[in-house]
Amino acid sequence: MIVPHADVGPESEVRAILPDDIGLYGSRMPFAAMRAGGFMDPKIPHGSVKSFTDPPFADDAAELLAASPLDAIACGLTSSACKLGVYGEREFTERVQRRTRGIPLVSTCAAAVDGLRGLGAQRIAMVNPP
């Protein structure tokens, strides 16, 4: 999982739902909105969110993870997908996946859409946690 350098949330959340026989490994990359200790700007600046997807950081992080014997790589920053939109997120994952030695790369929002479609969801309600 590719995560912001000071964010332990995505790894903790995914670890909590994975079966015990599946491993989770992280690769960190700089995220300008975060500071040491996990502190983040109260309002995440759009520039920081956009820069998270700019080369070379995610590309390099994916390549480092792909050197390991993995089955998939996940990108754990939902904010960037919301900022990029559907087509921008797809372009981002296609670009980064060129560095993964053929290991599939999934992103947060696209994976959620695929999961909801797989469940046959027609209508959903969203709750924004505090």
Side-chain angles (χ1 to χ4, degrees):
M1 175 175 265
I2 300 168
V3 295
H5 70 280
D7 190 356
V8 297
E11 291 161 302
S12 299
E13 292 165 353
V14 172
R15 180 71 257 158
I17 62 173
L18 285 177
D20 291 337
D21 61 339
I22 295 179
L24 177 67
Y25 310 97
S27 186
R28 304 212 172 268
M29 56 179 280
F31 182 47
M34 296 193 89
R35 295 180 301 284
F39 296 103
M40 191 162 26
D41 297 335
K43 182 175 180 183
I44 301 173
H46 287 269
S48 298
V49 172
K50 173 66 178 86
S51 68
F52 187 77
T53 61
D54 290 340
F57 301 118
D59 311 66
D60 291 346
E63 185 172 17
L64 289 170
L65 276 174
S68 302
L70 304 175
D71 295 311
I73 297 174
C75 184
L77 185 69
T78 308
S79 300
S80 64
C82 293
K83 176 71 177 157
L84 293 173
V86 173
Y87 300 110
E89 184 181 25
R90 184 178 304 137
E91 289 173 7
F92 165 72
T93 56
E94 287 173 356
R95 185 195 81 225
V96 173
Q97 190 159 336
R98 290 194 278 273
R99 305 271 298 271
T100 67
R101 296 183 315 108
I103 298 170
L105 178 93
V106 296
S107 57
T108 310
C109 291
V113 169
D114 288 345
L116 290 167
R117 284 186 179 142
L119 292 171
Q122 303 272 326
R123 295 174 42 171
I124 62 169
M126 296 187 69
V127 177
N128 184 16

